[in-house]
Amino acid sequence: MENALLENMRHLTYGIYVLTTRFEDAINGMIASWVSQVSFDPPLFMAAVHPNRYSHRLMLKSSVFALHLVDQSQKDLLIRFKGPDPRKKFEGLNWTDGKNGCPILADCMGVVECRIIQNLSPGNHTLFIGQATHAEFRNPRPVLSTLDYEGCYLGKA
């Protein structure tokens, strides 16, 4: 059963997002694929982050994050935001501080800024539930998903 379960989990389709966060002067960005809309009213979003991630620590301290929609032409962001050095991840990118202080990438299709209202730890990831406080949508393009980039499977964060 274990092999079949892992194969089924590996073949579930997820969108691929860049999650950014900030606490005081510390910023970070990471690739997130376990993301979901939780509620329409109020507008709630969930992102699952492993406790060993630097972003996890920043999110616990700041209670904010931003989710960036990534299109299929932006696979280079996956390599950039898997890197270990938080400051180098943003070098050469066009970004500004968002309304909640998180780095906002100018070239992404859209972004939702969230204030964390709850976190749960039902397994080996923390589920951060954030209420949208600001959103921008620039123009529709095909969204990057795990079907487009096999190497992005993040189930072993």
Side-chain angles (χ1 to χ4, degrees), residues 87-108:
R87 289 286 172 180
K88 286 187 177 181
K89 292 177 182 182
F90 295 93
E91 283 181 2
L93 286 182
N94 185 7
W95 66 277
T96 59
D97 290 334
K99 302 223 185 273
N100 68 6
C102 293
I104 303 300
L105 306 177
D107 295 331
C108 286

Side-chain angles (χ1 to χ4, degrees), residues 89-133:
K89 292 177 182 182
F90 295 93
E91 283 181 2
L93 286 182
N94 185 7
W95 66 277
T96 59
D97 290 334
K99 302 223 185 273
N100 68 6
C102 293
I104 303 300
L105 306 177
D107 295 331
C108 286
M109 183 171 39
V111 63
V112 178
E113 296 181 66
C114 295
R115 178 182 51 82
I116 297 169
I117 61 166
Q118 185 177 14
N119 60 61
L120 308 164
S121 298
N124 68 346
H125 282 62
T126 300
L127 306 180
F128 289 97
I129 299 173
Q131 184 166 348
T133 57

Side-chain angles (χ1 to χ4, degrees), residues 32-46:
S33 62
W34 292 350
V35 170
S36 181
Q37 180 180 345
V38 176
S39 170
F40 184 74
D41 185 19
L44 301 177
F45 295 84
M46 181 277 303

Side-chain angles (χ1 to χ4, degrees), residues 46-145:
M46 181 277 303
V49 180
H50 195 280
N52 72 357
R53 303 296 297 264
Y54 180 52
S55 290
H56 187 278
R57 292 187 292 280
L58 296 179
M59 291 167 72
L60 285 175
K61 291 177 181 179
S62 69
S63 294
V64 294
F65 65 92
L67 290 172
H68 297 78
L69 282 74
V70 178
D71 74 64
Q72 292 175 355
S73 72
Q74 296 178 301
K75 289 181 184 178
D76 59 314
L77 292 177
L78 301 181
I79 295 166
R80 174 184 287 271
F81 283 99
K82 280 186 175 182
D85 186 340
R87 289 286 172 180
K88 286 187 177 181
K89 292 177 182 182
F90 295 93
E91 283 181 2
L93 286 182
N94 185 7
W95 66 277
T96 59
D97 290 334
K99 302 223 185 273
N100 68 6
C102 293
I104 303 300
L105 306 177
D107 295 331
C108 286
M109 183 171 39
V111 63
V112 178
E113 296 181 66
C114 295
R115 178 182 51 82
I116 297 169
I117 61 166
Q118 185 177 14
N119 60 61
L120 308 164
S121 298
N124 68 346
H125 282 62
T126 300
L127 306 180
F128 289 97
I129 299 173
Q131 184 166 348
T133 57
H134 182 75
E136 297 177 24
F137 189 77
R138 297 178 182 109
N139 64 343
R141 300 184 295 246
V143 177
L144 186 60
S145 77

